[in-house]
Amino acid sequence: MTDAPIDAITAREILDNRLEPTLRVTVETPAGTGRADVPRGRSRGAYEAYDRRDGDDRYRGLGVRDAVSAVEDRIAPELRGRDVTDQRDVDAALVALDGTDTKENLGGNAVVGVSLAVLRAGAAATGLPLYRYVGGADAHVIPLPFFDLIEGGELAGGDRPFQEHQVVPVGADSVAEAVRWTAEVYYELGDILRSEYGAASCNVGDEGGYTPLGVDDPREAFELECRAIEACGYDGEFALAADVAASHFYDPETETYDLCGEAMTRADLVAFYENLVDTYPIVSLEDPLDQADFAGVADLTDRLDVQIVGDDLFATTPDRLRTGIDHGAGTALLWKINQVGTVTEATEAARLATRNGYAVQVSERSGQTPDTWLADLAVGLGAGQIKTGVTRGERTEQYNRLLEIEADLDGVATFGPPGDALDR
Ligand code: PGA
Ligand code: ZN
């Protein structure tokens, strides 16, 4: 406890990396001020907290003036005077004031902005860096990044079904080494794409990964990544991974997946994955099946000896994760705080995951700003894994912040996931 009652909470409409409106929330206390920008997904899952938009003429309906009013006129009076370091009390008040499962009343974007700005103000009031405020004296785990070098799905033009074809520098000893190796592979991949597919193939998607024209088969994307890794002399130091985001090419009517020109049944797709992990050094697959298919994901988890990450499947929601655990679906939780709305609920989901032997991968959204609370939270949670795109300022700032934290923790930091999450 500190002498830091919340004095004022304000919000403004700002722009994210897609030039789309989002919120910046500021929380003031006599002992320190906190500010946080709100991220927004494009490939959002069906079970996420409600994203409140004005729906009027401004910004094609995407304005967030109503969410700003929710912060200033409804949330601020409720929270004024509360101790800013009592995060659980603040978040419980937010959940109670909203009163719905998916934050439909206030808006998930309003709620998450306040919850994060309160967290930041708490760190400021106690004089601690955010990662240490969240993780305590023991915070020391720098996360291993999953770099999205080739993008598809909802995040890029073209017909690539898989949303992210990631490279994972599993052999690196530090985030500094991981970032440098990956940058070299990224340049090399750019050279290959430019010479074989034309300069336009080096255009990037929402998370800064390449969007090569004509590379529509996931196997070709992985092949290209392997070639770039080998050309740099890093064979064996990198593994591969994917966010399949399979709900986006699933047709619930016919119960088939539209992949590589075929209407695949679940069994076909499972066979496709078995072949994929036999052929390439894949260690992790995110959302490999439809977001409602707990039984299917459980079956796949049994069959494949790789990490199976639930993003849209769990929506960072303790209840959905509990259902997944009961089914034996997945081995890792993708952790996106705005899917659920408050720091406390998201932390509860992470704790539930860890207690049940699930790994936690902290994640960006495709829409965000250069605000770096994500990097700090990844270290604070001790998650050991992060995905935050590859290029563009709002992604590289996360890496820059991880480099800074790693330097701060010189001599005591460890790098990557604890345990054997990536080699089951
Ligand atoms: P989103 O996509 O942020 O647009 O939802 C990222 C992901 O699916 O992991
Ligand atoms: Zn995803």
Side-chain angles (χ1 to χ4, degrees), residues 95-313:
V95 168
L97 183 66
D98 179 83
T100 69
D101 282 346
T102 49
K103 316 285 186 294
E104 266 161 70
N105 188 346
L106 297 167
N109 44 352
V111 169
V112 79
V114 172
S115 188
L116 282 167
V118 164
L119 189 75
R120 269 258 175 76
T126 50
L128 292 170
L130 183 59
Y131 73 86
R132 198 170 277 295
Y133 179 64
V134 172
D138 188 51
H140 70 282
V141 182
I142 306 293
L144 169 66
F146 284 50
F147 294 89
D148 177 16
L149 292 202
I150 298 182
E151 284 186 60
E154 307 268 305
L155 304 183
D159 294 319
R160 265 173 309 293
F162 285 19
Q163 195 162 278
E164 304 180 10
H165 306 77
Q166 304 154 333
V167 302
V168 194
V170 288
D173 289 331
S174 63
V175 80
E177 194 166 53
V179 167
R180 176 173 66 82
W181 288 1
T182 305
E184 291 164 12
V185 170
Y186 182 79
Y187 312 148
E188 182 67 33
L189 180 58
D191 289 347
I192 296 173
L193 292 175
R194 200 170 296 110
S195 69
E196 296 179 21
Y197 297 84
S201 288
C202 292
N203 289 341
V204 301
D206 284 4
E207 298 179 349
Y210 295 120
T211 61
L213 301 169
V215 180
D216 296 338
D217 185 318
R219 290 165 292 199
E220 193 175 350
F222 288 129
E223 201 70 54
L224 284 160
E225 290 182 337
C226 286
R227 280 176 57 199
I229 289 165
E230 272 169 39
C232 291
Y234 292 133
D235 340 19
E237 306 287 13
F238 276 85
L240 302 181
D243 177 8
V244 178
S247 300
H248 299 291
F249 55 90
Y250 178 67
D251 180 351
E253 298 268 293
T254 57
E255 299 187 0
T256 56
Y257 295 87
D258 179 11
L259 183 67
C260 299
E262 282 176 57
M264 293 193 185
T265 62
R266 183 168 87 188
D268 295 336
L269 186 55
V270 168
F272 182 87
Y273 290 134
E274 284 175 329
N275 186 269
L276 204 62
V277 303
D278 280 348
T279 313
Y280 300 101
I282 289 174
V283 289
S284 180
L285 292 173
E286 178 184 329
D287 282 348
L289 296 173
D290 179 58
Q291 62 197 319
D293 192 1
F294 281 108
V297 176
D299 175 54
L300 194 68
T301 305
D302 277 346
R303 284 167 188 270
L304 296 186
D305 202 14
V306 300
Q307 173 173 272
I308 303 289
V309 185
D311 171 12
D312 298 343
L313 183 72

Side-chain angles (χ1 to χ4, degrees), residues 359-383:
V360 177
Q361 184 175 108
V362 168
S363 174
E364 64 178 352
R365 298 309 304 244
S366 55
Q368 60 185 37
T369 75
D371 192 345
T372 54
W373 50 259
L374 187 80
D376 276 76
L377 285 180
V379 178
L381 285 176

Side-chain angles (χ1 to χ4, degrees), residues 1-2 4 6 82-93 118 122 133 344:
M1 286 289 199
T2 57
I6 294 172
R82 289 179 196 257
D83 185 330
V84 80
T85 64
D86 199 348
Q87 187 75 36
R88 289 182 71 86
D89 169 66
V90 165
D91 287 342
V118 164
Y133 179 64
T344 301

